Amino acid sequence: MKLLSWLVRGLGVILVLISALFLGARCHDGPLGPIPGGVLASGEWVDAASDDWAFAKDISEIEFQLESQSLSRTTWILVRDGKAWIPCSLAFPPGKDWHERVATDGRAVLRIAGKRHAVTLAQDDDPTLPEFARAEVTRKYGNPAPGDSGVIFFRIEPRAR
């Protein structure tokens, strides 16, 4: 009975620590790896509204925040011919809704290599994108890609802040 009591207490402590980590991350400047964080507050603004994202081709992960939310996330970026997209798996993690919010207000901030970019995200229905995107998803995750609910791609367009 004592062992069970200690196990329950230990589990309780672990749950409290995990909860504190997730709540504390909301006060952090940006995400903590895969844990969503607070507003992207630091980093020099890049005011030049260039539509050439070639500089981000070899960057594996970026941070982004929808302006309609005070929550930032880590994601990866696809770049082809200077154009860029953010993918969104519909299967993982469960319960996310940022992709639905983009339809209402696509204004966002990206932080790439410590610099912030004001952008607009728009769902891309280009019929040639799936072939390129599927190859990139396979390159990153292997074959098959995780989940079976599909992936939505959002085109990144610069905007004035």
Side-chain angles (χ1 to χ4, degrees), residues 26-72:
R26 300 289 173 110
C27 299
H28 186 262
D29 175 19
L32 296 172
I35 300 171
V39 174
L40 299 176
S42 67
E44 173 188 345
W45 280 101
V46 177
D47 287 325
S50 171
D51 200 19
D52 185 4
W53 296 95
F55 71 92
K57 183 166 180 54
D58 296 323
I59 294 176
S60 60
E61 293 181 334
I62 65 169
E63 300 169 319
F64 88 98
Q65 169 202 340
L66 295 177
E67 287 202 358
S68 62
Q69 293 182 316
S70 59
L71 186 67
S72 57

mmCIF file of all heavy atoms in Angstrom, residues 26-72:
data_model
loop_
_atom_site.group_PDB
_atom_site.id
_atom_site.type_symbol
_atom_site.label_atom_id
_atom_site.label_comp_id
_atom_site.label_asym_id
_atom_site.label_seq_id
_atom_site.Cartn_x
_atom_site.Cartn_y
_atom_site.Cartn_z
ATOM 1 N N ARG A 26 4.364 29.514 -22.254
ATOM 2 C CA ARG A 26 3.485 30.583 -22.773
ATOM 3 C C ARG A 26 4.044 31.974 -22.467
ATOM 4 O O ARG A 26 3.682 32.941 -23.113
ATOM 5 C CB ARG A 26 2.081 30.478 -22.170
ATOM 6 C CG ARG A 26 1.371 29.174 -22.462
ATOM 7 C CD ARG A 26 0.969 29.096 -23.917
ATOM 8 N NE ARG A 26 0.428 27.810 -24.259
ATOM 9 C CZ ARG A 26 -0.837 27.591 -24.548
ATOM 10 N NH1 ARG A 26 -1.697 28.569 -24.512
ATOM 11 N NH2 ARG A 26 -1.226 26.387 -24.885
ATOM 12 N N CYS A 27 4.932 32.062 -21.479
ATOM 13 C CA CYS A 27 5.553 33.342 -21.117
ATOM 14 C C CYS A 27 6.907 33.521 -21.796
ATOM 15 O O CYS A 27 7.525 34.567 -21.673
ATOM 16 C CB CYS A 27 5.737 33.420 -19.603
ATOM 17 S SG CYS A 27 4.191 33.328 -18.689
ATOM 18 N N HIS A 28 7.373 32.511 -22.491
ATOM 19 C CA HIS A 28 8.680 32.529 -23.140
ATOM 20 C C HIS A 28 8.594 33.222 -24.490
ATOM 21 O O HIS A 28 7.563 33.199 -25.149
ATOM 22 C CB HIS A 28 9.162 31.078 -23.313
ATOM 23 C CG HIS A 28 10.553 30.966 -23.831
ATOM 24 N ND1 HIS A 28 10.831 30.744 -25.155
ATOM 25 C CD2 HIS A 28 11.748 31.057 -23.205
ATOM 26 C CE1 HIS A 28 12.133 30.691 -25.324
ATOM 27 N NE2 HIS A 28 12.716 30.876 -24.157
ATOM 28 N N ASP A 29 9.680 33.843 -24.911
ATOM 29 C CA ASP A 29 9.761 34.486 -26.221
ATOM 30 C C ASP A 29 9.927 33.412 -27.285
ATOM 31 O O ASP A 29 11.030 33.035 -27.640
ATOM 32 C CB ASP A 29 10.936 35.461 -26.239
ATOM 33 C CG ASP A 29 11.159 36.082 -27.606
ATOM 34 O OD1 ASP A 29 10.228 36.062 -28.446
ATOM 35 O OD2 ASP A 29 12.272 36.585 -27.845
ATOM 36 N N GLY A 30 8.820 32.875 -27.750
ATOM 37 C CA GLY A 30 8.849 31.842 -28.772
ATOM 38 C C GLY A 30 8.703 30.462 -28.179
ATOM 39 O O GLY A 30 8.722 30.275 -26.959
ATOM 40 N N PRO A 31 8.538 29.475 -29.039
ATOM 41 C CA PRO A 31 8.336 28.096 -28.585
ATOM 42 C C PRO A 31 9.605 27.509 -27.977
ATOM 43 O O PRO A 31 10.720 27.965 -28.247
ATOM 44 C CB PRO A 31 7.951 27.359 -29.864
ATOM 45 C CG PRO A 31 8.489 28.187 -30.972
ATOM 46 C CD PRO A 31 8.512 29.595 -30.496
ATOM 47 N N LEU A 32 9.405 26.491 -27.151
ATOM 48 C CA LEU A 32 10.527 25.740 -26.574
ATOM 49 C C LEU A 32 10.569 24.397 -27.291
ATOM 50 O O LEU A 32 9.966 23.427 -26.843
ATOM 51 C CB LEU A 32 10.326 25.538 -25.067
ATOM 52 C CG LEU A 32 10.314 26.798 -24.217
ATOM 53 C CD1 LEU A 32 9.906 26.475 -22.787
ATOM 54 C CD2 LEU A 32 11.678 27.464 -24.247
ATOM 55 N N GLY A 33 11.223 24.373 -28.442
ATOM 56 C CA GLY A 33 11.235 23.162 -29.264
ATOM 57 C C GLY A 33 9.825 22.851 -29.733
ATOM 58 O O GLY A 33 9.164 23.695 -30.332
ATOM 59 N N PRO A 34 9.314 21.661 -29.407
ATOM 60 C CA PRO A 34 7.977 21.300 -29.857
ATOM 61 C C PRO A 34 6.850 21.870 -28.987
ATOM 62 O O PRO A 34 5.684 21.738 -29.318
ATOM 63 C CB PRO A 34 7.987 19.771 -29.767
ATOM 64 C CG PRO A 34 8.941 19.485 -28.663
ATOM 65 C CD PRO A 34 10.008 20.545 -28.764
ATOM 66 N N ILE A 35 7.210 22.529 -27.888
ATOM 67 C CA ILE A 35 6.205 23.069 -26.969
ATOM 68 C C ILE A 35 5.857 24.492 -27.394
ATOM 69 O O ILE A 35 6.743 25.346 -27.482
ATOM 70 C CB ILE A 35 6.710 23.052 -25.517
ATOM 71 C CG1 ILE A 35 7.035 21.619 -25.101
ATOM 72 C CG2 ILE A 35 5.680 23.675 -24.581
ATOM 73 C CD1 ILE A 35 7.746 21.515 -23.772
ATOM 74 N N PRO A 36 4.575 24.780 -27.691
ATOM 75 C CA PRO A 36 4.187 26.132 -28.088
ATOM 76 C C PRO A 36 4.594 27.153 -27.032
ATOM 77 O O PRO A 36 4.540 26.885 -25.832
ATOM 78 C CB PRO A 36 2.661 26.047 -28.200
ATOM 79 C CG PRO A 36 2.382 24.599 -28.438
ATOM 80 C CD PRO A 36 3.437 23.861 -27.661
ATOM 81 N N GLY A 37 5.035 28.322 -27.510
ATOM 82 C CA GLY A 37 5.496 29.371 -26.607
ATOM 83 C C GLY A 37 4.689 30.641 -26.756
ATOM 84 O O GLY A 37 3.629 30.663 -27.388
ATOM 85 N N GLY A 38 5.235 31.702 -26.204
ATOM 86 C CA GLY A 38 4.562 32.996 -26.224
ATOM 87 C C GLY A 38 4.855 33.769 -27.498
ATOM 88 O O GLY A 38 5.378 33.246 -28.481
ATOM 89 N N VAL A 39 4.539 35.042 -27.446
ATOM 90 C CA VAL A 39 4.687 35.960 -28.576
ATOM 91 C C VAL A 39 6.150 36.035 -29.019
ATOM 92 O O VAL A 39 7.052 36.039 -28.186
ATOM 93 C CB VAL A 39 4.177 37.361 -28.169
ATOM 94 C CG1 VAL A 39 4.441 38.383 -29.242
ATOM 95 C CG2 VAL A 39 2.693 37.298 -27.838
ATOM 96 N N LEU A 40 6.371 36.103 -30.316
ATOM 97 C CA LEU A 40 7.722 36.278 -30.858
ATOM 98 C C LEU A 40 8.111 37.744 -30.684
ATOM 99 O O LEU A 40 7.788 38.587 -31.514
ATOM 100 C CB LEU A 40 7.779 35.875 -32.334
ATOM 101 C CG LEU A 40 7.440 34.428 -32.647
ATOM 102 C CD1 LEU A 40 7.449 34.190 -34.148
ATOM 103 C CD2 LEU A 40 8.398 33.489 -31.941
ATOM 104 N N ALA A 41 8.792 38.052 -29.596
ATOM 105 C CA ALA A 41 9.073 39.439 -29.236
ATOM 106 C C ALA A 41 10.466 39.903 -29.620
ATOM 107 O O ALA A 41 10.685 41.094 -29.800
ATOM 108 C CB ALA A 41 8.870 39.622 -27.733
ATOM 109 N N SER A 42 11.416 39.010 -29.745
ATOM 110 C CA SER A 42 12.782 39.440 -30.027
ATOM 111 C C SER A 42 13.162 39.114 -31.462
ATOM 112 O O SER A 42 12.515 38.315 -32.128
ATOM 113 C CB SER A 42 13.763 38.766 -29.066
ATOM 114 O OG SER A 42 13.815 37.383 -29.319
ATOM 115 N N GLY A 43 14.226 39.756 -31.892
ATOM 116 C CA GLY A 43 14.723 39.554 -33.243
ATOM 117 C C GLY A 43 14.513 40.791 -34.085
ATOM 118 O O GLY A 43 13.482 41.456 -33.996
ATOM 119 N N GLU A 44 15.499 41.097 -34.871
ATOM 120 C CA GLU A 44 15.446 42.252 -35.754
ATOM 121 C C GLU A 44 14.361 42.048 -36.810
ATOM 122 O O GLU A 44 14.200 40.952 -37.352
ATOM 123 C CB GLU A 44 16.818 42.395 -36.430
ATOM 124 C CG GLU A 44 16.897 43.428 -37.502
ATOM 125 C CD GLU A 44 18.226 43.380 -38.248
ATOM 126 O OE1 GLU A 44 19.178 42.738 -37.758
ATOM 127 O OE2 GLU A 44 18.284 43.965 -39.334
ATOM 128 N N TRP A 45 13.604 43.119 -37.086
ATOM 129 C CA TRP A 45 12.589 43.046 -38.134
ATOM 130 C C TRP A 45 13.252 43.184 -39.491
ATOM 131 O O TRP A 45 14.122 44.032 -39.690
ATOM 132 C CB TRP A 45 11.555 44.165 -37.984
ATOM 133 C CG TRP A 45 10.522 43.892 -36.949
ATOM 134 C CD1 TRP A 45 10.471 44.395 -35.693
ATOM 135 C CD2 TRP A 45 9.391 43.036 -37.079
ATOM 136 N NE1 TRP A 45 9.373 43.906 -35.028
ATOM 137 C CE2 TRP A 45 8.691 43.066 -35.857
ATOM 138 C CE3 TRP A 45 8.899 42.228 -38.105
ATOM 139 C CZ2 TRP A 45 7.532 42.336 -35.646
ATOM 140 C CZ3 TRP A 45 7.739 41.505 -37.888
ATOM 141 C CH2 TRP A 45 7.070 41.563 -36.680
ATOM 142 N N VAL A 46 12.854 42.368 -40.436
ATOM 143 C CA VAL A 46 13.301 42.489 -41.814
ATOM 144 C C VAL A 46 12.199 43.225 -42.549
ATOM 145 O O VAL A 46 11.126 42.673 -42.787
ATOM 146 C CB VAL A 46 13.563 41.097 -42.440
ATOM 147 C CG1 VAL A 46 13.947 41.240 -43.900
ATOM 148 C CG2 VAL A 46 14.628 40.357 -41.661
ATOM 149 N N ASP A 47 12.454 44.490 -42.863
ATOM 150 C CA ASP A 47 11.426 45.319 -43.473
ATOM 151 C C ASP A 47 11.348 45.186 -44.991
ATOM 152 O O ASP A 47 10.351 45.530 -45.585
ATOM 153 C CB ASP A 47 11.632 46.785 -43.105
ATOM 154 C CG ASP A 47 11.248 47.052 -41.657
ATOM 155 O OD1 ASP A 47 10.296 46.415 -41.171
ATOM 156 O OD2 ASP A 47 11.903 47.887 -41.011
ATOM 157 N N ALA A 48 12.408 44.703 -45.585
ATOM 158 C CA ALA A 48 12.395 44.553 -47.040
ATOM 159 C C ALA A 48 11.393 43.462 -47.407
ATOM 160 O O ALA A 48 11.579 42.305 -47.084
ATOM 161 C CB ALA A 48 13.782 44.191 -47.542
ATOM 162 N N ALA A 49 10.320 43.868 -48.058
ATOM 163 C CA ALA A 49 9.274 42.905 -48.431
ATOM 164 C C ALA A 49 9.687 42.175 -49.707
ATOM 165 O O ALA A 49 9.223 42.469 -50.789
ATOM 166 C CB ALA A 49 7.938 43.620 -48.609
ATOM 167 N N SER A 50 10.573 41.223 -49.551
ATOM 168 C CA SER A 50 11.046 40.433 -50.689
ATOM 169 C C SER A 50 10.232 39.145 -50.771
ATOM 170 O O SER A 50 9.904 38.541 -49.756
ATOM 171 C CB SER A 50 12.525 40.099 -50.509
ATOM 172 O OG SER A 50 12.927 39.178 -51.481
ATOM 173 N N ASP A 51 9.948 38.756 -51.979
ATOM 174 C CA ASP A 51 9.211 37.514 -52.175
ATOM 175 C C ASP A 51 10.168 36.364 -52.481
ATOM 176 O O ASP A 51 9.756 35.328 -52.961
ATOM 177 C CB ASP A 51 8.191 37.693 -53.297
ATOM 178 C CG ASP A 51 7.095 36.647 -53.238
ATOM 179 O OD1 ASP A 51 6.920 36.029 -52.170
ATOM 180 O OD2 ASP A 51 6.418 36.429 -54.263
ATOM 181 N N ASP A 52 11.470 36.567 -52.210
ATOM 182 C CA ASP A 52 12.466 35.533 -52.463
ATOM 183 C C ASP A 52 12.893 34.909 -51.136
ATOM 184 O O ASP A 52 13.593 35.519 -50.347
ATOM 185 C CB ASP A 52 13.674 36.123 -53.186
ATOM 186 C CG ASP A 52 14.681 35.058 -53.573
ATOM 187 O OD1 ASP A 52 14.412 33.852 -53.358
ATOM 188 O OD2 ASP A 52 15.742 35.427 -54.106
ATOM 189 N N TRP A 53 12.448 33.684 -50.907
ATOM 190 C CA TRP A 53 12.728 32.978 -49.652
ATOM 191 C C TRP A 53 13.863 31.973 -49.813
ATOM 192 O O TRP A 53 14.038 31.087 -48.972
ATOM 193 C CB TRP A 53 11.459 32.265 -49.178
ATOM 194 C CG TRP A 53 10.374 33.232 -48.851
ATOM 195 C CD1 TRP A 53 9.366 33.632 -49.666
ATOM 196 C CD2 TRP A 53 10.210 33.955 -47.632
ATOM 197 N NE1 TRP A 53 8.571 34.556 -49.036
ATOM 198 C CE2 TRP A 53 9.077 34.769 -47.779
ATOM 199 C CE3 TRP A 53 10.908 33.992 -46.428
ATOM 200 C CZ2 TRP A 53 8.621 35.617 -46.773
ATOM 201 C CZ3 TRP A 53 10.450 34.833 -45.426
ATOM 202 C CH2 TRP A 53 9.330 35.630 -45.608
ATOM 203 N N ALA A 54 14.654 32.110 -50.865
ATOM 204 C CA ALA A 54 15.744 31.162 -51.126
ATOM 205 C C ALA A 54 16.712 31.055 -49.945
ATOM 206 O O ALA A 54 17.284 29.994 -49.712
ATOM 207 C CB ALA A 54 16.497 31.561 -52.393
ATOM 208 N N PHE A 55 16.878 32.130 -49.187
ATOM 209 C CA PHE A 55 17.786 32.106 -48.035
ATOM 210 C C PHE A 55 17.361 31.073 -46.991
ATOM 211 O O PHE A 55 18.169 30.635 -46.178
ATOM 212 C CB PHE A 55 17.885 33.491 -47.385
ATOM 213 C CG PHE A 55 16.641 33.909 -46.654
ATOM 214 C CD1 PHE A 55 16.501 33.644 -45.305
ATOM 215 C CD2 PHE A 55 15.606 34.555 -47.317
ATOM 216 C CE1 PHE A 55 15.347 34.023 -44.617
ATOM 217 C CE2 PHE A 55 14.462 34.948 -46.643
ATOM 218 C CZ PHE A 55 14.339 34.671 -45.297
ATOM 219 N N ALA A 56 16.101 30.665 -46.987
ATOM 220 C CA ALA A 56 15.589 29.728 -45.979
ATOM 221 C C ALA A 56 15.574 28.280 -46.473
ATOM 222 O O ALA A 56 15.131 27.396 -45.747
ATOM 223 C CB ALA A 56 14.185 30.145 -45.557
ATOM 224 N N LYS A 57 16.086 28.031 -47.666
ATOM 225 C CA LYS A 57 16.014 26.690 -48.252
ATOM 226 C C LYS A 57 16.674 25.624 -47.385
ATOM 227 O O LYS A 57 16.174 24.518 -47.259
ATOM 228 C CB LYS A 57 16.634 26.679 -49.642
ATOM 229 C CG LYS A 57 16.523 25.323 -50.322
ATOM 230 C CD LYS A 57 16.820 25.418 -51.779
ATOM 231 C CE LYS A 57 16.737 24.109 -52.494
ATOM 232 N NZ LYS A 57 15.513 23.377 -52.353
ATOM 233 N N ASP A 58 17.787 25.944 -46.757
ATOM 234 C CA ASP A 58 18.519 24.952 -45.971
ATOM 235 C C ASP A 58 18.259 25.056 -44.469
ATOM 236 O O ASP A 58 18.939 24.414 -43.680
ATOM 237 C CB ASP A 58 20.023 25.068 -46.253
ATOM 238 C CG ASP A 58 20.337 24.730 -47.706
ATOM 239 O OD1 ASP A 58 19.678 23.815 -48.252
ATOM 240 O OD2 ASP A 58 21.218 25.379 -48.290
ATOM 241 N N ILE A 59 17.285 25.863 -44.079
ATOM 242 C CA ILE A 59 16.930 25.990 -42.662
ATOM 243 C C ILE A 59 15.893 24.916 -42.347
ATOM 244 O O ILE A 59 14.884 24.794 -43.034
ATOM 245 C CB ILE A 59 16.394 27.403 -42.356
ATOM 246 C CG1 ILE A 59 17.525 28.404 -42.563
ATOM 247 C CG2 ILE A 59 15.823 27.479 -40.949
ATOM 248 C CD1 ILE A 59 17.128 29.844 -42.400
ATOM 249 N N SER A 60 16.154 24.133 -41.309
ATOM 250 C CA SER A 60 15.273 22.992 -41.045
ATOM 251 C C SER A 60 13.994 23.381 -40.308
ATOM 252 O O SER A 60 12.944 22.814 -40.558
ATOM 253 C CB SER A 60 16.018 21.911 -40.263
ATOM 254 O OG SER A 60 16.464 22.426 -39.029
ATOM 255 N N GLU A 61 14.074 24.330 -39.382
ATOM 256 C CA GLU A 61 12.885 24.720 -38.622
ATOM 257 C C GLU A 61 12.833 26.227 -38.443
ATOM 258 O O GLU A 61 13.863 26.886 -38.344
ATOM 259 C CB GLU A 61 12.886 24.060 -37.243
ATOM 260 C CG GLU A 61 12.729 22.560 -37.296
ATOM 261 C CD GLU A 61 12.713 21.929 -35.912
ATOM 262 O OE1 GLU A 61 13.286 22.512 -34.972
ATOM 263 O OE2 GLU A 61 12.139 20.848 -35.782
ATOM 264 N N ILE A 62 11.606 26.726 -38.401
ATOM 265 C CA ILE A 62 11.378 28.147 -38.140
ATOM 266 C C ILE A 62 10.335 28.266 -37.039
ATOM 267 O O ILE A 62 9.698 27.287 -36.660
ATOM 268 C CB ILE A 62 10.905 28.897 -39.410
ATOM 269 C CG1 ILE A 62 9.525 28.382 -39.862
ATOM 270 C CG2 ILE A 62 11.932 28.772 -40.522
ATOM 271 C CD1 ILE A 62 8.873 29.229 -40.929
ATOM 272 N N GLU A 63 10.176 29.475 -36.540
ATOM 273 C CA GLU A 63 9.130 29.749 -35.545
ATOM 274 C C GLU A 63 8.112 30.662 -36.204
ATOM 275 O O GLU A 63 8.472 31.520 -37.009
ATOM 276 C CB GLU A 63 9.737 30.448 -34.328
ATOM 277 C CG GLU A 63 10.807 29.629 -33.644
ATOM 278 C CD GLU A 63 11.576 30.457 -32.620
ATOM 279 O OE1 GLU A 63 11.895 31.624 -32.894
ATOM 280 O OE2 GLU A 63 11.849 29.910 -31.542
ATOM 281 N N PHE A 64 6.839 30.463 -35.879
ATOM 282 C CA PHE A 64 5.829 31.383 -36.399
ATOM 283 C C PHE A 64 4.717 31.587 -35.401
ATOM 284 O O PHE A 64 4.478 30.775 -34.510
ATOM 285 C CB PHE A 64 5.297 30.918 -37.765
ATOM 286 C CG PHE A 64 4.135 29.972 -37.701
ATOM 287 C CD1 PHE A 64 2.842 30.441 -37.852
ATOM 288 C CD2 PHE A 64 4.334 28.616 -37.516
ATOM 289 C CE1 PHE A 64 1.774 29.568 -37.811
ATOM 290 C CE2 PHE A 64 3.277 27.740 -37.476
ATOM 291 C CZ PHE A 64 1.985 28.216 -37.622
ATOM 292 N N GLN A 65 4.068 32.742 -35.565
ATOM 293 C CA GLN A 65 2.960 33.124 -34.698
ATOM 294 C C GLN A 65 1.912 33.823 -35.548
ATOM 295 O O GLN A 65 2.238 34.712 -36.328
ATOM 296 C CB GLN A 65 3.472 34.084 -33.621
ATOM 297 C CG GLN A 65 2.383 34.741 -32.827
ATOM 298 C CD GLN A 65 2.849 36.033 -32.166
ATOM 299 O OE1 GLN A 65 4.029 36.250 -31.991
ATOM 300 N NE2 GLN A 65 1.904 36.869 -31.814
ATOM 301 N N LEU A 66 0.675 33.386 -35.423
ATOM 302 C CA LEU A 66 -0.416 34.122 -36.060
ATOM 303 C C LEU A 66 -0.636 35.393 -35.263
ATOM 304 O O LEU A 66 -0.610 35.365 -34.034
ATOM 305 C CB LEU A 66 -1.695 33.281 -36.086
ATOM 306 C CG LEU A 66 -1.660 32.019 -36.933
ATOM 307 C CD1 LEU A 66 -2.972 31.264 -36.799
ATOM 308 C CD2 LEU A 66 -1.369 32.348 -38.383
ATOM 309 N N GLU A 67 -0.863 36.506 -35.941
ATOM 310 C CA GLU A 67 -1.054 37.761 -35.213
ATOM 311 C C GLU A 67 -2.341 37.753 -34.396
ATOM 312 O O GLU A 67 -2.468 38.512 -33.449
ATOM 313 C CB GLU A 67 -1.002 38.942 -36.170
ATOM 314 C CG GLU A 67 0.409 39.192 -36.626
ATOM 315 C CD GLU A 67 0.625 40.599 -37.131
ATOM 316 O OE1 GLU A 67 -0.329 41.408 -37.174
ATOM 317 O OE2 GLU A 67 1.778 40.886 -37.497
ATOM 318 N N SER A 68 -3.269 36.882 -34.741
ATOM 319 C CA SER A 68 -4.528 36.806 -33.996
ATOM 320 C C SER A 68 -4.382 35.974 -32.718
ATOM 321 O O SER A 68 -5.339 35.836 -31.972
ATOM 322 C CB SER A 68 -5.632 36.220 -34.872
ATOM 323 O OG SER A 68 -5.303 34.893 -35.261
ATOM 324 N N GLN A 69 -3.194 35.409 -32.477
ATOM 325 C CA GLN A 69 -2.957 34.593 -31.293
ATOM 326 C C GLN A 69 -1.689 35.072 -30.580
ATOM 327 O O GLN A 69 -0.810 35.656 -31.193
ATOM 328 C CB GLN A 69 -2.756 33.120 -31.662
ATOM 329 C CG GLN A 69 -3.959 32.445 -32.220
ATOM 330 C CD GLN A 69 -3.676 30.969 -32.501
ATOM 331 O OE1 GLN A 69 -2.643 30.622 -33.032
ATOM 332 N NE2 GLN A 69 -4.614 30.123 -32.119
ATOM 333 N N SER A 70 -1.614 34.775 -29.303
ATOM 334 C CA SER A 70 -0.400 35.086 -28.545
ATOM 335 C C SER A 70 0.385 33.801 -28.298
ATOM 336 O O SER A 70 0.997 33.625 -27.263
ATOM 337 C CB SER A 70 -0.766 35.773 -27.226
ATOM 338 O OG SER A 70 -1.597 34.930 -26.462
ATOM 339 N N LEU A 71 0.351 32.911 -29.262
ATOM 340 C CA LEU A 71 0.968 31.595 -29.154
ATOM 341 C C LEU A 71 1.851 31.378 -30.381
ATOM 342 O O LEU A 71 1.424 31.599 -31.506
ATOM 343 C CB LEU A 71 -0.141 30.541 -29.118
ATOM 344 C CG LEU A 71 0.228 29.105 -28.877
ATOM 345 C CD1 LEU A 71 0.766 28.938 -27.463
ATOM 346 C CD2 LEU A 71 -0.999 28.230 -29.047
ATOM 347 N N SER A 72 3.090 30.961 -30.150
ATOM 348 C CA SER A 72 4.004 30.705 -31.256
ATOM 349 C C SER A 72 4.313 29.216 -31.338
ATOM 350 O O SER A 72 4.162 28.484 -30.359
ATOM 351 C CB SER A 72 5.291 31.511 -31.083
ATOM 352 O OG SER A 72 5.903 31.194 -29.844
#
